[in-house]
Amino acid sequence: MNQYKLYIGGEFIKTDQKLSVFNPYDNVLVGETYIAGKEQLEKAIEKALLVKKQMRDLASWQKYKILNEIADKISAKKDDLALLLAKEAGKPLKYALSEIDRAVQVFKIAAEESKRLPKEYFSIDWTPAGDGKEGFVKYFPIGLISGIAPFNFPLNLAVHKIAPAIASGNPIILKPARSTPLSVLELAKIIDETDLPKGAFSVLPMDREAGSQLVTDERIHMLSFTGSPEVGWKMKANAGKKKVALELGGNAGVVVSDISDIDLAVKKCVVGSFAYSGQVCIHVQRIYVHENIFDEFINKFVEGTKKMKFGAPEDLNTDVSVMIDEENAMRVESWVKEAVEDGAEILIGGKRKGTYFEPTVITSTKKEMKVCALEVFGPVVSIEKFTNFSEAIKNINDSDYGLQAGVFTNQINEMNEALNELEVGGIIINDVPTFRVDHMPYGGVKNSGFGREGIKYSILEMLEPKLLVKNTDY
Amino acid sequence: MNQYKLYIGGEFIKTDQKLSVFNPYDNVLVGETYIAGKEQLEKAIEKALLVKKQMRDLASWQKYKILNEIADKISAKKDDLALLLAKEAGKPLKYALSEIDRAVQVFKIAAEESKRLPKEYFSIDWTPAGDGKEGFVKYFPIGLISGIAPFNFPLNLAVHKIAPAIASGNPIILKPARSTPLSVLELAKIIDETDLPKGAFSVLPMDREAGSQLVTDERIHMLSFTGSPEVGWKMKANAGKKKVALELGGNAGVVVSDISDIDLAVKKCVVGSFAYSGQVCIHVQRIYVHENIFDEFINKFVEGTKKMKFGAPEDLNTDVSVMIDEENAMRVESWVKEAVEDGAEILIGGKRKGTYFEPTVITSTKKEMKVCALEVFGPVVSIEKFTNFSEAIKNINDSDYGLQAGVFTNQINEMNEALNELEVGGIIINDVPTFRVDHMPYGGVKNSGFGREGIKYSILEMLEPKLLVKNTDY
Amino acid sequence: MNQYKLYIGGEFIKTDQKLSVFNPYDNVLVGETYIAGKEQLEKAIEKALLVKKQMRDLASWQKYKILNEIADKISAKKDDLALLLAKEAGKPLKYALSEIDRAVQVFKIAAEESKRLPKEYFSIDWTPAGDGKEGFVKYFPIGLISGIAPFNFPLNLAVHKIAPAIASGNPIILKPARSTPLSVLELAKIIDETDLPKGAFSVLPMDREAGSQLVTDERIHMLSFTGSPEVGWKMKANAGKKKVALELGGNAGVVVSDISDIDLAVKKCVVGSFAYSGQVCIHVQRIYVHENIFDEFINKFVEGTKKMKFGAPEDLNTDVSVMIDEENAMRVESWVKEAVEDGAEILIGGKRKGTYFEPTVITSTKKEMKVCALEVFGPVVSIEKFTNFSEAIKNINDSDYGLQAGVFTNQINEMNEALNELEVGGIIINDVPTFRVDHMPYGGVKNSGFGREGIKYSILEMLEPKLLVKNTDY
Amino acid sequence: MNQYKLYIGGEFIKTDQKLSVFNPYDNVLVGETYIAGKEQLEKAIEKALLVKKQMRDLASWQKYKILNEIADKISAKKDDLALLLAKEAGKPLKYALSEIDRAVQVFKIAAEESKRLPKEYFSIDWTPAGDGKEGFVKYFPIGLISGIAPFNFPLNLAVHKIAPAIASGNPIILKPARSTPLSVLELAKIIDETDLPKGAFSVLPMDREAGSQLVTDERIHMLSFTGSPEVGWKMKANAGKKKVALELGGNAGVVVSDISDIDLAVKKCVVGSFAYSGQVCIHVQRIYVHENIFDEFINKFVEGTKKMKFGAPEDLNTDVSVMIDEENAMRVESWVKEAVEDGAEILIGGKRKGTYFEPTVITSTKKEMKVCALEVFGPVVSIEKFTNFSEAIKNINDSDYGLQAGVFTNQINEMNEALNELEVGGIIINDVPTFRVDHMPYGGVKNSGFGREGIKYSILEMLEPKLLVKNTDY
């Protein structure tokens, strides 16, 4: 069993409050770390402020070198990190391995983007008032950033804040989820070995008071939060003058048109529905299938679901494992039950054993049911039929959320309609909404978020433009 | 004397509450209009929501045509509009004329930019996970926008919200300042004659309750506010899920280096200090002059100030007229008095007659004095000496504000230092911070604002990106 | 009957060689002008070189003003210009009117783009060798440009060289086609009234010797040629150090897939085949129709062809008029005859009367026939059937040319295949290859051309980048 | 002594014609390879054409992986490669090492850029003709490329053609200089070990006939040549339909203003003048120094020159070694002699010993002297004084060449004047024209070249845009 100290700007420290992390699959202790209070946060803030100028003045090649070095070191520890991540999050090893690969990818892309920060150069003399002048915009780091990361991608969603912060020349203080702080503390050890100025990065699981200061403290210039909508939107109101980026959840939908590849759609949707027990912001929660192919789709989908192999997260063959805790498993169970009582039909699954909830397919749902209307964040998907494409689009839109959507079709006009009418941040044609590569812009509309991540896009949000107007004929 | 009805999405209406607008110079009634309450605002919102889709679907050429038509019609009424603006705002006619020209320019640029909304197209296959896929980002209108405009540029600062809203395909509801609502109501008549869908634009001076709903109503997706810092930052906290853009004030500074063109610096600084009685967000409030040229600068500056001609705003020869109201004139008077009591020295000016406050130059100030530390928003400037350039930069930065700064120099290293170290949104080399052309990015850091205006930049803030990921080898 | 003098950098002059221009429809004299020799060309070159620096130094607003003024003046003379153009080119008035509109559009877009010339700003410090340095790229006018324009769009294809030249700050000498020099000489009168520096623009129909100097003279920095492939490619070899842009011809093809809108396809293809008697670089010359809809397409196409109304070019109801001269009409006649002798079948048309050649549809062609393999530049189209989409793509590619292609389909995979596999400069989905809007990049591959036009793209070709590397920490 | 076979698309082969490579310092045999004739070239072309489609269809991640692998393998062999390069080119080891580093850098940047190939997406509906349409531009590989590289940077200037070719998806056939073919043949071994499709890369020293076919063969779509102006411009005339990029030479100049850092200027200029015996396209050949500091500059420069250590290229302490061959050393000697006879004065150096020519500083030159007017490509620099800055600019411009220029100054107005008036491809402020980092745009105007290199810029030249116009409201 491992001890993990907190990482405060170059120092590994302990506090009075211990935090034990257990594997949700077998309740075995994975590791122990500490909870930071206001005192530790204050230290982290002060250290960060001290290196602000130094961070701003790093040359491109220095940031590039640091970020690539982190990527290489993560890569070298891939197996250990994946196992740790699998255990603390109960995430099947195959997905944990892919998460490590993605974290490596994020640091590499951030390295490349650090050399390509936006800069503008344009003519000012559009009217005689601007005669003999030219304009330049140089983007400077916005200042100290606080990042708050969720349990479901303990490493990669933290890395989506850390890597852009370094690339843009900002110090960052990261608060991981209490249930899954270990892999990012392991990352701290890696980062500590690089030339990143000490103070530019801290990782602190926090108590409530410190956590709330992360939101309100005016010395922090940006808050980047990934988590639940309820918590996120409240933070926006309390954030004072700082910029806020919110990556929240959703109830992502898929449309399967009659002119499309059914087998592809089934294969992608089964994985999109049940991977990591649906504990993914863009998990497939609602599928709308054209009536002509509905029965075939349902049959094939249930068959596909049966093949999902349950097991321990550490096992490379496991497709589905447990949920993060029993509380969540019980919540999902009760939502499904409520739906069934209100007329929904379970096609497969529906049972809970401790923290495990079976991959569950339901139909005959109503849109007001919690399993449809709220973010289920569990291995539950509803499949319903539609008659015409526009109706399916409306079904997807009939939601408070709007993160991503998938559309299986081979028709140009349906693709156009999807792009124009779907109220979401991203539309994936012939793939599930669960599709994400790390350099694409990612984020939701409506209740699902505020701003975009995806390295280049995060970097842009972490920069402040400064205009220089200069004479040219002086 | 003219009656101006409110403009609610295609209808000109009256309400029970009259609003009389007086010329601050001679207290003559300029015109009468009305104040809207929640009922009128509700109507404007509903009308706006009804045309959201229609606005989104306007072709480029339609937006281009509408915006150019507005520009041409403003241009055709230039003299009348300038006179109206001069009277309601007490703004010398020469500046009022130039404000009309700029409003024309803003609509023309918005027309051009409406054809060039951002669109992105990029490869997705950076890892095998993205094989056979490409990404596209199309930017859609964000939704209903509320704009709140100040008294000092009654037309152009409103236009900086209206024109980008139309160009980006968004409906907008504009709340003008109570003291200067008439020119923008005149603009409403012009816009009403175009093909802009009725409902896409409303102008309403409002009572407090309606005004506060503009900030909180969740059917509104963006709030664009230009006004005072105190009011602005409070709005950000109350804005709920909507995006907020704040263009606030400052205490803009100028540095005059020893290797620079003194005569140019004096000429530009006198106008930057006293134009429209300093009631300009980027008015020159603090000047730091190198000790080698301090005396010469001071002498020439006082000479220049003497030449500023006082008169009625309607008079084309007037350089300086009254302030917007006596309350503000008295406030400025008291700040200057307080400064003098604390050791400052008046070189010229300092006296008040009703709403008129003389162009005033002070020196031997301390940075804590209100005339230095707060936004004076009046015809007062302080001039101090410095020994080395870095010290002058520090003086400028020693402020809660950071809008724009001017630097007179012919040295490359000083220009570099200014760009890297000045904590402001824009730096103007060899000109005053008061310099603004309408297409440049404009906005402040620190307490001075949040986000950037400048047509292309405003448009970007009024758009929401939507990603399409598409297969290419299907 | 009108006399048109040549325009040499601000002067209207005569030469010894007269040039008479006749209406190809009725052989009536339209106007008289002159042919320039080496002496006049020398004068034009010298005047142009004298204003190079002045052109380079025009402010954005000056170029914008000049270009918009030209657009407005063309617009004001629209009816007269269209009539002149209809007469000199034998172009039906409806198409002549649309050509004038497009010329207006080109100048307006050029005005807008003149404010948006490319400029780059980027970091240099990707390695320690670049420490403390930043890079800037400013684009300067390339130098004197020679433009050579064809007869078929006498105004707009000349304007596609003139407007970008002005926008990019380059002087230009234009050689119009001998058969259609008048409308561009009319344009010279318009341009002469603006503030464009005298010398920056000259129009000269030329004798062979002067024409060849346009290609070889090393004081000219770029040659922009629109015309036949044979002439164009030879010019490239003789152009010395100058840059060359070639817009040549083709034998554009259309694919009509089985899942597409047949009526739309027929309607668009009939116009694309016969408008201006096919004397258009992107005229529809080859149509490949899926076998499932071939018979229906053929029938509807022949019906559509019958409705094309023959008449005088000056008549607004005329759809088709004569060809530019009898030589070309005879050439087309002989090609069709040759095809028929080799097995092709005429579905409609095929006869010639003087300069008139009937709209002609043939089938059962072989790809080696001149009507297929060469650029027919006349009102002849072949329609053939195909079985699968890839085969149709291969048919289009089986050609020495590659300008544009049209594809009617509603299938995403066919659109993808078309984009990836068609060897052309542009692909128009659900429209004919004849589609062109003036701001889109336009130009061919293979024998069809070299470089791209389309205002922004032409401007880029007319600019030379200059890098500035500057220290930032000096 | 090593044997190097030619590399033809995956095969290492011998021919009948041997080529021996000697170290110009001690005439020791460095290695032996072969010369290819038309037969071998034909084979390389055929192999290249066979993999064109495969190259086009490589995913981003595949090109990225290949290019990074090449970079890593070069890096791993750095010392051996540098030694080989030092020997075959007579290049002092310290510069050879830095050339290897730069080649690594070029492949890495190309890897990054291969994921960021340009793509455009824009609105088409600027007029009603474009209603319901959008435009896309995707850039496709231009086709087979022939690269011709010079002796002076045997590896890196070849790599500046190879890496962008791979990144843009084009096959390339490279012809190295006969005197220095070995390091690039060593590179071939490295590339052969990667997944680059066999056929996509060949390296062939060629006989005259094959070399000339590289220029004329119409199956080759682009010729990228680095070498002498005389050869380059002739190639342009013979290149047929293919695109041509020319990186030629110059007689680069430096201006040292009175307000500048003299010690910095001297230090940079000495190295820029004599590194690799001035056999660098952007070697410092002419220095213009302000009269106020002329004497001080001259003295310090001569002192600096004395410290340049002569020695064998393989010695890490060597600053200056021999020239590439005796013929060139004798040419330089005769030019200097001629200058002295015409009044020039030698301040230091001027003597030749075999292939060695001493670092030589001359003054009192006339601009017509060969050492000034032509490209000296040897260790000779002239230093002259000027009175005002504009005169110095004119001196630099008084040349047939225009590659890069250096300007030492701390004045904004001088920097502006330099940017606007210097007729060169690049201006380096406070550094020598010899400054080059590999990602910056690089290339000359006037006789010095045609087009730009610098990875992103080379890639752009190696791509052909293809437009897709698509309906959006279908």
Side-chain angles (χ1 to χ4, degrees), chain A residues 26-40:
Chain A
D26 51 17
N27 218 22
V28 168
L29 185 63
V30 182
E32 270 183 4
T33 182
Y34 303 87
I35 291 178
K38 292 198 77 160
E39 188 190 338
Q40 286 81 30

Side-chain angles (χ1 to χ4, degrees), chain A residues 120 236 240 422 457 466-467, chain B residues 120 236 240 422 427 457 466:
Chain A
E120 300 167 37
K236 179 169 182 290
L422 279 171
Y457 301 86
K466 202 189 285 184
L467 170 74
Chain B
E120 300 168 36
K236 178 169 181 291
L422 279 171
I427 295 146
Y457 301 86
K466 202 189 285 183

Side-chain angles (χ1 to χ4, degrees), chain D residues 55-113:
Chain D
M55 283 297 291
R56 184 198 77 181
D57 291 341
L58 288 178
S60 294
W61 66 266
Q62 291 174 304
K63 293 190 280 188
Y64 181 83
K65 186 166 163 286
I66 291 164
L67 290 159
N68 268 322
E69 216 174 299
I70 299 172
D72 291 342
K73 284 171 189 282
I74 296 175
S75 212
K77 289 192 181 178
K78 179 174 171 179
D79 289 338
D80 290 350
L81 274 168
L83 197 60
L84 176 62
L85 199 155
K87 287 180 182 168
E88 70 171 343
K91 175 174 285 193
L93 191 57
K94 68 168 76 162
Y95 297 120
L97 284 163
S98 131
E99 183 170 345
I100 307 298
D101 281 344
R102 285 184 56 192
V104 170
Q105 177 75 355
V106 170
F107 276 108
K108 288 204 168 167
I109 297 172
E112 295 167 20
E113 293 297 336

Side-chain angles (χ1 to χ4, degrees), chain A residues 213-255:
Chain A
Q213 188 184 332
L214 261 196
V215 177
T216 56
D217 196 303
E218 290 284 11
R219 294 170 298 177
I220 298 172
H221 301 87
M222 181 175 173
L223 164 67
S224 176
F225 171 78
T226 302
S228 78
E230 301 69 41
V231 177
W233 291 112
K234 248 176 247 157
M235 285 179 175
K236 179 169 182 290
N238 294 327
K241 299 197 177 101
K242 69 175 63 61
K243 190 190 270 194
V244 172
L246 303 176
E247 295 296 333
L248 312 173
N251 54 354
V254 170
V255 180

Side-chain angles (χ1 to χ4, degrees), chain D residues 308-320:
Chain D
M308 297 300 278
K309 199 176 165 307
F310 172 73
E314 301 93 319
D315 183 345
L316 199 49
N317 295 314
T318 296
D319 291 313
V320 194

Side-chain angles (χ1 to χ4, degrees), chain B residues 228-241:
Chain B
S228 78
E230 300 71 40
V231 177
W233 290 112
K234 248 176 247 157
M235 285 179 176
K236 178 169 181 291
N238 296 325
K241 299 195 177 102

